[in-house]
């Protein structure tokens, strides 16, 4: 009887602990025999919101004018992106009215504009004071969160103009052995509502999904596989089986 219990336990353990290669592979249905595959992108241009922080530099041929206009002097530029404090102090925050206020230039309305549209608006205002000035605008408050079954869950920052869910998961150390690649949830909070996108990273359709490209403040949640609970409880089950086996041996000895 004891041997049968042990065999049954070992069989359950082996079945539940095995992870097939199919569960680990991304984009499984992409044609491996075709050298090039084309998928239409569903990238959404982010619109600047209140409290966003922008990096803005206005450059002219006059160095003295540059120092007056730009809030961060040259000695601070190399440390600007190293921590959140530097970003907050040296960046330009979008106020509740949707404006950023620049030295000499004054207020510029950027709310609900893309970064490129904000750049054009700032350049138009700058042309009233400077000729042939170059304007650089970047969104530096692009943060996102990765939760669930990844190796390094947490809040991350992105300094590129775009970010895919695969890149976000890569920054979080990839999906763990307990992660379900077919059940990824992208949560997108906006000013008036919250949208969700359910995506399957094993299917090529994810490349055309609206949730494939992330926006600032998005949350990526990776669900666990169904067998995770059993795997976690294996030590407890092993202890229970050991105790049960000992008890049966003692009872047999007493008899």
């Amino acid at each position: 009887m004891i041997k049968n219990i042990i065999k049954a336990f070992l069989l359950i353990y082996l079945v539940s602990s095995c992870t097939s290669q199919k569960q680990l592979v991304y984009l499984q249905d992409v044609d491996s025999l075709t050298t090039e595959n084309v998928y239409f992108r569903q990238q959404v241009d982010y619109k600047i919101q209140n409290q966003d922080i922008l990096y803005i530099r206005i450059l002219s041929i006059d160095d003295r004018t540059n120092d007056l206009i730009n809030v961060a002097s040259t000695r601070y530029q190399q440390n600007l992106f190293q921590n959140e404090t530097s970003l907050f102090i040296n960046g330009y925050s979008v106020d509740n009215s949707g404006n950023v206020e620049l030295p000499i230039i004054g207020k510029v309305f950027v709310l609900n504009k893309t970064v490129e549209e904000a750049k054009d608006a700032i350049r138009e205002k700058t042309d009233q004071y400077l000729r042939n000035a170059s304007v650089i605008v970047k969104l530096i408050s692009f943060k996102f969160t990765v939760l669930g079954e990844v190796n390094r869950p947490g809040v991350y920052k992105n300094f590129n103009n775009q970010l895919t869910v695969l890149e976000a998961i890569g920054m979080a150390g990839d999906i763990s052995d307990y992660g379900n690649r077919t059940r990824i949830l992208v949560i997108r909070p906006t000013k008036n509502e919250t949208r969700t996108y359910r995506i399957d990273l094993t299917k090529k359709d994810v490349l055309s999904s609206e949730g494939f490209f992330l926006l600032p403040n998005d949350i990526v949640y990776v669900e666990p596989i169904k067998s995770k609970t059993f795997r976690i409880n294996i030590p407890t089950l092993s202890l229970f089986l050991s105790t049960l086996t000992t008890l049966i041996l003692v009872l047999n000895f007493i008899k």
Side-chain angles (χ1 to χ4, degrees):
M1 178 180 177
I2 297 176
K3 290 183 178 180
N4 292 334
I5 294 175
I6 295 175
K7 288 180 180 179
F9 177 80
L10 289 176
L11 179 61
I12 295 173
Y13 171 77
L14 290 173
V15 171
S16 63
S17 61
C18 290
T19 301
S20 66
Q21 183 181 8
K22 189 174 182 180
Q23 293 177 292
L24 301 176
V25 178
Y26 295 98
L27 307 175
Q28 297 173 15
D29 54 351
V30 172
D31 188 357
S32 60
L33 299 179
T34 304
T35 57
E36 181 179 2
N37 296 278
V38 179
Y39 304 94
F40 294 101
R41 308 194 327 173
Q42 292 289 336
Q43 184 176 1
V44 179
D45 290 329
Y46 177 70
K47 305 289 186 179
I48 295 172
Q49 301 299 310
N50 301 112
Q51 311 310 320
D52 278 348
I53 301 177
L54 303 178
Y55 167 79
I56 301 174
R57 288 281 288 173
I58 300 174
L59 303 175
S60 69
I61 58 175
D62 185 358
D63 291 338
R64 294 181 62 184
T65 303
N66 292 338
D67 292 338
L68 289 173
I69 293 179
N70 296 295
V71 65
S73 62
T74 304
R75 62 178 177 173
Y76 291 120
Q77 290 302 305
Q78 59 184 348
N79 298 321
L80 179 60
F81 298 98
Q82 291 187 0
N83 56 65
E84 290 190 43
T85 303
S86 296
L87 293 176
F88 181 78
I89 293 176
N90 297 312
Y92 290 90
S93 180
V94 181
D95 63 25
N96 292 330
S97 299
N99 298 306
V100 290
E101 187 167 1
L102 306 174
I104 300 178
I105 305 300
K107 292 184 177 181
V108 182
F109 186 77
V110 296
L111 183 66
N112 290 325
K113 296 181 183 293
T114 66
V115 172
E116 284 300 316
E117 290 170 344
K119 179 179 177 180
D120 292 339
I122 294 171
R123 181 186 290 111
E124 182 179 350
K125 189 72 176 289
T126 302
D127 287 343
Q128 300 175 17
Y129 301 89
L130 298 172
R131 290 184 178 181
N132 301 320
S134 298
V135 178
I136 302 172
V137 179
K138 295 183 181 296
L139 178 68
I140 55 178
S141 56
F142 190 150
K143 65 179 181 179
F144 61 95
T145 304
V146 185
L147 300 174
E149 294 303 327
V150 292
N151 291 309
R152 293 193 302 272
V155 179
Y156 292 87
K157 285 185 172 56
N158 172 53
F159 294 108
N160 295 322
N161 291 330
Q162 66 180 34
L163 178 73
T164 69
V165 66
L166 289 175
E167 291 172 320
I169 290 174
M171 293 174 69
D174 203 359
I175 297 176
S176 71
D177 293 339
Y178 294 134
N180 189 342
R181 287 161 174 77
T182 67
R183 299 282 294 178
I184 310 296
L185 181 65
V186 176
I187 304 170
R188 179 161 297 162
T190 61
K191 184 176 181 180
N192 300 316
E193 61 184 3
T194 298
R195 297 183 179 183
T196 59
Y197 305 92
R198 180 74 67 178
I199 58 179
D200 181 351
L201 294 182
T202 67
K203 303 295 184 182
K204 63 183 179 183
D205 293 343
V206 68
L207 300 174
S208 301
S209 167
E210 191 173 347
F212 183 67
F213 285 94
L214 300 184
L215 296 179
N217 303 313
D218 276 1
I219 301 170
V220 179
Y221 173 65
V222 181
E223 289 189 9
I225 55 178
K226 293 182 179 180
S227 60
K228 178 184 178 180
T229 303
F230 180 81
R231 294 188 190 184
I232 292 176
N233 290 326
I234 282 178
T236 303
L237 293 173
S238 298
L239 178 61
F240 172 77
L241 180 61
S242 177
T243 303
L244 179 62
T245 304
T246 303
L247 179 60
I248 293 174
L249 288 173
V250 171
L251 291 175
N252 287 335
F253 179 77
I254 294 175
K255 290 180 180 180

PDB file of all heavy atoms in Angstrom, residues 67-89:
ATOM      1  N   ASP A  67      21.988  79.429 -22.242  1.00  0.00           N
ATOM      2  CA  ASP A  67      22.045  79.291 -20.788  1.00  0.00           C
ATOM      3  C   ASP A  67      20.860  79.962 -20.108  1.00  0.00           C
ATOM      4  O   ASP A  67      20.396  79.516 -19.052  1.00  0.00           O
ATOM      5  CB  ASP A  67      23.351  79.881 -20.252  1.00  0.00           C
ATOM      6  CG  ASP A  67      24.572  79.063 -20.668  1.00  0.00           C
ATOM      7  OD1 ASP A  67      24.387  77.870 -20.981  1.00  0.00           O
ATOM      8  OD2 ASP A  67      25.688  79.621 -20.693  1.00  0.00           O
ATOM      9  N   LEU A  68      20.360  81.042 -20.700  1.00  0.00           N
ATOM     10  CA  LEU A  68      19.221  81.747 -20.114  1.00  0.00           C
ATOM     11  C   LEU A  68      17.915  80.974 -20.312  1.00  0.00           C
ATOM     12  O   LEU A  68      17.065  80.924 -19.421  1.00  0.00           O
ATOM     13  CB  LEU A  68      19.087  83.146 -20.740  1.00  0.00           C
ATOM     14  CG  LEU A  68      20.150  84.175 -20.348  1.00  0.00           C
ATOM     15  CD1 LEU A  68      19.973  85.446 -21.177  1.00  0.00           C
ATOM     16  CD2 LEU A  68      20.053  84.503 -18.859  1.00  0.00           C
ATOM     17  N   ILE A  69      17.768  80.366 -21.477  1.00  0.00           N
ATOM     18  CA  ILE A  69      16.507  79.698 -21.803  1.00  0.00           C
ATOM     19  C   ILE A  69      16.397  78.328 -21.162  1.00  0.00           C
ATOM     20  O   ILE A  69      15.343  77.949 -20.645  1.00  0.00           O
ATOM     21  CB  ILE A  69      16.351  79.575 -23.336  1.00  0.00           C
ATOM     22  CG1 ILE A  69      16.178  80.965 -23.948  1.00  0.00           C
ATOM     23  CG2 ILE A  69      15.171  78.685 -23.696  1.00  0.00           C
ATOM     24  CD1 ILE A  69      16.051  80.951 -25.444  1.00  0.00           C
ATOM     25  N   ASN A  70      17.483  77.580 -21.163  1.00  0.00           N
ATOM     26  CA  ASN A  70      17.420  76.195 -20.701  1.00  0.00           C
ATOM     27  C   ASN A  70      17.588  76.125 -19.196  1.00  0.00           C
ATOM     28  O   ASN A  70      18.539  76.666 -18.633  1.00  0.00           O
ATOM     29  CB  ASN A  70      18.499  75.366 -21.402  1.00  0.00           C
ATOM     30  CG  ASN A  70      18.251  75.287 -22.898  1.00  0.00           C
ATOM     31  OD1 ASN A  70      17.265  74.714 -23.341  1.00  0.00           O
ATOM     32  ND2 ASN A  70      19.132  75.890 -23.687  1.00  0.00           N
ATOM     33  N   VAL A  71      16.655  75.432 -18.555  1.00  0.00           N
ATOM     34  CA  VAL A  71      16.627  75.376 -17.100  1.00  0.00           C
ATOM     35  C   VAL A  71      17.813  74.621 -16.531  1.00  0.00           C
ATOM     36  O   VAL A  71      18.298  74.918 -15.452  1.00  0.00           O
ATOM     37  CB  VAL A  71      15.308  74.730 -16.616  1.00  0.00           C
ATOM     38  CG1 VAL A  71      15.216  73.285 -17.039  1.00  0.00           C
ATOM     39  CG2 VAL A  71      15.153  74.865 -15.118  1.00  0.00           C
ATOM     40  N   ALA A  72      18.297  73.614 -17.244  1.00  0.00           N
ATOM     41  CA  ALA A  72      19.427  72.819 -16.758  1.00  0.00           C
ATOM     42  C   ALA A  72      20.679  73.232 -17.506  1.00  0.00           C
ATOM     43  O   ALA A  72      20.745  73.148 -18.719  1.00  0.00           O
ATOM     44  CB  ALA A  72      19.167  71.331 -16.962  1.00  0.00           C
ATOM     45  N   SER A  73      21.664  73.710 -16.784  1.00  0.00           N
ATOM     46  CA  SER A  73      22.904  74.117 -17.423  1.00  0.00           C
ATOM     47  C   SER A  73      23.686  72.898 -17.871  1.00  0.00           C
ATOM     48  O   SER A  73      23.369  71.768 -17.541  1.00  0.00           O
ATOM     49  CB  SER A  73      23.746  74.954 -16.453  1.00  0.00           C
ATOM     50  OG  SER A  73      24.091  74.190 -15.320  1.00  0.00           O
ATOM     51  N   THR A  74      24.738  73.143 -18.611  1.00  0.00           N
ATOM     52  CA  THR A  74      25.507  72.053 -19.208  1.00  0.00           C
ATOM     53  C   THR A  74      26.035  71.080 -18.169  1.00  0.00           C
ATOM     54  O   THR A  74      26.060  69.873 -18.375  1.00  0.00           O
ATOM     55  CB  THR A  74      26.686  72.633 -20.008  1.00  0.00           C
ATOM     56  OG1 THR A  74      26.178  73.555 -20.973  1.00  0.00           O
ATOM     57  CG2 THR A  74      27.443  71.526 -20.716  1.00  0.00           C
ATOM     58  N   ARG A  75      26.432  71.559 -17.015  1.00  0.00           N
ATOM     59  CA  ARG A  75      27.022  70.672 -16.011  1.00  0.00           C
ATOM     60  C   ARG A  75      26.008  69.696 -15.424  1.00  0.00           C
ATOM     61  O   ARG A  75      26.370  68.693 -14.827  1.00  0.00           O
ATOM     62  CB  ARG A  75      27.646  71.493 -14.882  1.00  0.00           C
ATOM     63  CG  ARG A  75      26.649  72.349 -14.126  1.00  0.00           C
ATOM     64  CD  ARG A  75      27.335  73.098 -12.999  1.00  0.00           C
ATOM     65  NE  ARG A  75      26.410  73.974 -12.300  1.00  0.00           N
ATOM     66  CZ  ARG A  75      26.728  74.642 -11.199  1.00  0.00           C
ATOM     67  NH1 ARG A  75      27.940  74.528 -10.699  1.00  0.00           N
ATOM     68  NH2 ARG A  75      25.840  75.425 -10.622  1.00  0.00           N
ATOM     69  N   TYR A  76      24.698  70.012 -15.568  1.00  0.00           N
ATOM     70  CA  TYR A  76      23.675  69.115 -15.052  1.00  0.00           C
ATOM     71  C   TYR A  76      23.177  68.121 -16.091  1.00  0.00           C
ATOM     72  O   TYR A  76      22.492  67.167 -15.762  1.00  0.00           O
ATOM     73  CB  TYR A  76      22.479  69.911 -14.524  1.00  0.00           C
ATOM     74  CG  TYR A  76      22.774  70.705 -13.281  1.00  0.00           C
ATOM     75  CD1 TYR A  76      22.621  72.088 -13.270  1.00  0.00           C
ATOM     76  CD2 TYR A  76      23.200  70.070 -12.121  1.00  0.00           C
ATOM     77  CE1 TYR A  76      22.898  72.824 -12.124  1.00  0.00           C
ATOM     78  CE2 TYR A  76      23.474  70.802 -10.971  1.00  0.00           C
ATOM     79  CZ  TYR A  76      23.320  72.178 -10.981  1.00  0.00           C
ATOM     80  OH  TYR A  76      23.595  72.903  -9.856  1.00  0.00           O
ATOM     81  N   GLN A  77      23.485  68.340 -17.352  1.00  0.00           N
ATOM     82  CA  GLN A  77      22.923  67.503 -18.404  1.00  0.00           C
ATOM     83  C   GLN A  77      23.332  66.044 -18.275  1.00  0.00           C
ATOM     84  O   GLN A  77      22.534  65.144 -18.505  1.00  0.00           O
ATOM     85  CB  GLN A  77      23.353  68.033 -19.786  1.00  0.00           C
ATOM     86  CG  GLN A  77      22.699  69.347 -20.163  1.00  0.00           C
ATOM     87  CD  GLN A  77      21.188  69.252 -20.169  1.00  0.00           C
ATOM     88  OE1 GLN A  77      20.619  68.401 -20.836  1.00  0.00           O
ATOM     89  NE2 GLN A  77      20.536  70.119 -19.423  1.00  0.00           N
ATOM     90  N   GLN A  78      24.578  65.782 -17.895  1.00  0.00           N
ATOM     91  CA  GLN A  78      25.042  64.409 -17.824  1.00  0.00           C
ATOM     92  C   GLN A  78      24.385  63.627 -16.689  1.00  0.00           C
ATOM     93  O   GLN A  78      24.347  62.402 -16.707  1.00  0.00           O
ATOM     94  CB  GLN A  78      26.559  64.388 -17.647  1.00  0.00           C
ATOM     95  CG  GLN A  78      27.042  65.116 -16.398  1.00  0.00           C
ATOM     96  CD  GLN A  78      28.550  65.142 -16.314  1.00  0.00           C
ATOM     97  OE1 GLN A  78      29.236  64.446 -17.045  1.00  0.00           O
ATOM     98  NE2 GLN A  78      29.073  65.953 -15.413  1.00  0.00           N
ATOM     99  N   ASN A  79      23.831  64.335 -15.690  1.00  0.00           N
ATOM    100  CA  ASN A  79      23.179  63.662 -14.567  1.00  0.00           C
ATOM    101  C   ASN A  79      21.660  63.713 -14.649  1.00  0.00           C
ATOM    102  O   ASN A  79      20.979  63.221 -13.758  1.00  0.00           O
ATOM    103  CB  ASN A  79      23.617  64.314 -13.245  1.00  0.00           C
ATOM    104  CG  ASN A  79      25.107  64.195 -13.013  1.00  0.00           C
ATOM    105  OD1 ASN A  79      25.698  63.164 -13.308  1.00  0.00           O
ATOM    106  ND2 ASN A  79      25.720  65.259 -12.503  1.00  0.00           N
ATOM    107  N   LEU A  80      21.133  64.302 -15.725  1.00  0.00           N
ATOM    108  CA  LEU A  80      19.703  64.559 -15.797  1.00  0.00           C
ATOM    109  C   LEU A  80      18.872  63.294 -15.730  1.00  0.00           C
ATOM    110  O   LEU A  80      17.845  63.240 -15.081  1.00  0.00           O
ATOM    111  CB  LEU A  80      19.385  65.326 -17.088  1.00  0.00           C
ATOM    112  CG  LEU A  80      17.909  65.663 -17.346  1.00  0.00           C
ATOM    113  CD1 LEU A  80      17.356  66.525 -16.217  1.00  0.00           C
ATOM    114  CD2 LEU A  80      17.742  66.367 -18.680  1.00  0.00           C
ATOM    115  N   PHE A  81      19.306  62.230 -16.393  1.00  0.00           N
ATOM    116  CA  PHE A  81      18.493  61.029 -16.512  1.00  0.00           C
ATOM    117  C   PHE A  81      18.886  59.941 -15.516  1.00  0.00           C
ATOM    118  O   PHE A  81      18.452  58.807 -15.643  1.00  0.00           O
ATOM    119  CB  PHE A  81      18.599  60.473 -17.939  1.00  0.00           C
ATOM    120  CG  PHE A  81      18.075  61.421 -18.986  1.00  0.00           C
ATOM    121  CD1 PHE A  81      18.941  62.231 -19.703  1.00  0.00           C
ATOM    122  CD2 PHE A  81      16.727  61.506 -19.242  1.00  0.00           C
ATOM    123  CE1 PHE A  81      18.461  63.103 -20.667  1.00  0.00           C
ATOM    124  CE2 PHE A  81      16.234  62.371 -20.205  1.00  0.00           C
ATOM    125  CZ  PHE A  81      17.106  63.179 -20.917  1.00  0.00           C
ATOM    126  N   GLN A  82      19.695  60.272 -14.517  1.00  0.00           N
ATOM    127  CA  GLN A  82      20.202  59.236 -13.633  1.00  0.00           C
ATOM    128  C   GLN A  82      19.235  58.858 -12.520  1.00  0.00           C
ATOM    129  O   GLN A  82      19.274  57.752 -12.013  1.00  0.00           O
ATOM    130  CB  GLN A  82      21.547  59.661 -13.045  1.00  0.00           C
ATOM    131  CG  GLN A  82      22.662  59.687 -14.083  1.00  0.00           C
ATOM    132  CD  GLN A  82      24.019  59.938 -13.458  1.00  0.00           C
ATOM    133  OE1 GLN A  82      24.130  60.099 -12.255  1.00  0.00           O
ATOM    134  NE2 GLN A  82      25.047  59.969 -14.279  1.00  0.00           N
ATOM    135  N   ASN A  83      18.364  59.758 -12.101  1.00  0.00           N
ATOM    136  CA  ASN A  83      17.422  59.429 -11.042  1.00  0.00           C
ATOM    137  C   ASN A  83      16.170  60.285 -11.168  1.00  0.00           C
ATOM    138  O   ASN A  83      16.137  61.275 -11.900  1.00  0.00           O
ATOM    139  CB  ASN A  83      18.070  59.613  -9.661  1.00  0.00           C
ATOM    140  CG  ASN A  83      18.626  61.017  -9.475  1.00  0.00           C
ATOM    141  OD1 ASN A  83      17.872  61.985  -9.445  1.00  0.00           O
ATOM    142  ND2 ASN A  83      19.948  61.136  -9.357  1.00  0.00           N
ATOM    143  N   GLU A  84      15.134  59.882 -10.431  1.00  0.00           N
ATOM    144  CA  GLU A  84      13.847  60.564 -10.526  1.00  0.00           C
ATOM    145  C   GLU A  84      13.923  61.999 -10.024  1.00  0.00           C
ATOM    146  O   GLU A  84      13.223  62.879 -10.523  1.00  0.00           O
ATOM    147  CB  GLU A  84      12.799  59.787  -9.733  1.00  0.00           C
ATOM    148  CG  GLU A  84      12.414  58.461 -10.364  1.00  0.00           C
ATOM    149  CD  GLU A  84      11.206  57.840  -9.683  1.00  0.00           C
ATOM    150  OE1 GLU A  84      10.252  58.580  -9.384  1.00  0.00           O
ATOM    151  OE2 GLU A  84      11.225  56.632  -9.455  1.00  0.00           O
ATOM    152  N   THR A  85      14.761  62.248  -9.033  1.00  0.00           N
ATOM    153  CA  THR A  85      14.882  63.600  -8.500  1.00  0.00           C
ATOM    154  C   THR A  85      15.389  64.565  -9.562  1.00  0.00           C
ATOM    155  O   THR A  85      14.857  65.671  -9.722  1.00  0.00           O
ATOM    156  CB  THR A  85      15.825  63.613  -7.285  1.00  0.00           C
ATOM    157  OG1 THR A  85      15.339  62.698  -6.297  1.00  0.00           O
ATOM    158  CG2 THR A  85      15.908  65.003  -6.685  1.00  0.00           C
ATOM    159  N   SER A  86      16.408  64.146 -10.314  1.00  0.00           N
ATOM    160  CA  SER A  86      16.951  64.994 -11.375  1.00  0.00           C
ATOM    161  C   SER A  86      15.915  65.243 -12.461  1.00  0.00           C
ATOM    162  O   SER A  86      15.794  66.355 -12.982  1.00  0.00           O
ATOM    163  CB  SER A  86      18.197  64.342 -11.987  1.00  0.00           C
ATOM    164  OG  SER A  86      19.227  64.241 -11.038  1.00  0.00           O
ATOM    165  N   LEU A  87      15.149  64.200 -12.796  1.00  0.00           N
ATOM    166  CA  LEU A  87      14.115  64.356 -13.816  1.00  0.00           C
ATOM    167  C   LEU A  87      13.067  65.372 -13.373  1.00  0.00           C
ATOM    168  O   LEU A  87      12.629  66.223 -14.152  1.00  0.00           O
ATOM    169  CB  LEU A  87      13.448  63.009 -14.091  1.00  0.00           C
ATOM    170  CG  LEU A  87      14.310  61.925 -14.742  1.00  0.00           C
ATOM    171  CD1 LEU A  87      13.516  60.631 -14.860  1.00  0.00           C
ATOM    172  CD2 LEU A  87      14.799  62.362 -16.100  1.00  0.00           C
ATOM    173  N   PHE A  88      12.670  65.285 -12.108  1.00  0.00           N
ATOM    174  CA  PHE A  88      11.619  66.168 -11.608  1.00  0.00           C
ATOM    175  C   PHE A  88      12.106  67.611 -11.513  1.00  0.00           C
ATOM    176  O   PHE A  88      11.395  68.550 -11.876  1.00  0.00           O
ATOM    177  CB  PHE A  88      11.149  65.677 -10.235  1.00  0.00           C
ATOM    178  CG  PHE A  88      10.043  66.507  -9.651  1.00  0.00           C
ATOM    179  CD1 PHE A  88       8.740  66.359 -10.095  1.00  0.00           C
ATOM    180  CD2 PHE A  88      10.310  67.445  -8.664  1.00  0.00           C
ATOM    181  CE1 PHE A  88       7.721  67.133  -9.565  1.00  0.00           C
ATOM    182  CE2 PHE A  88       9.298  68.216  -8.128  1.00  0.00           C
ATOM    183  CZ  PHE A  88       7.997  68.062  -8.579  1.00  0.00           C
ATOM    184  N   ILE A  89      13.340  67.797 -11.039  1.00  0.00           N
ATOM    185  CA  ILE A  89      13.862  69.149 -10.836  1.00  0.00           C
ATOM    186  C   ILE A  89      14.191  69.824 -12.159  1.00  0.00           C
ATOM    187  O   ILE A  89      13.873  70.999 -12.380  1.00  0.00           O
ATOM    188  CB  ILE A  89      15.109  69.110  -9.928  1.00  0.00           C
ATOM    189  CG1 ILE A  89      14.702  68.671  -8.509  1.00  0.00           C
ATOM    190  CG2 ILE A  89      15.794  70.471  -9.887  1.00  0.00           C
ATOM    191  CD1 ILE A  89      15.873  68.500  -7.574  1.00  0.00           C
TER     192      ILE A  89
END
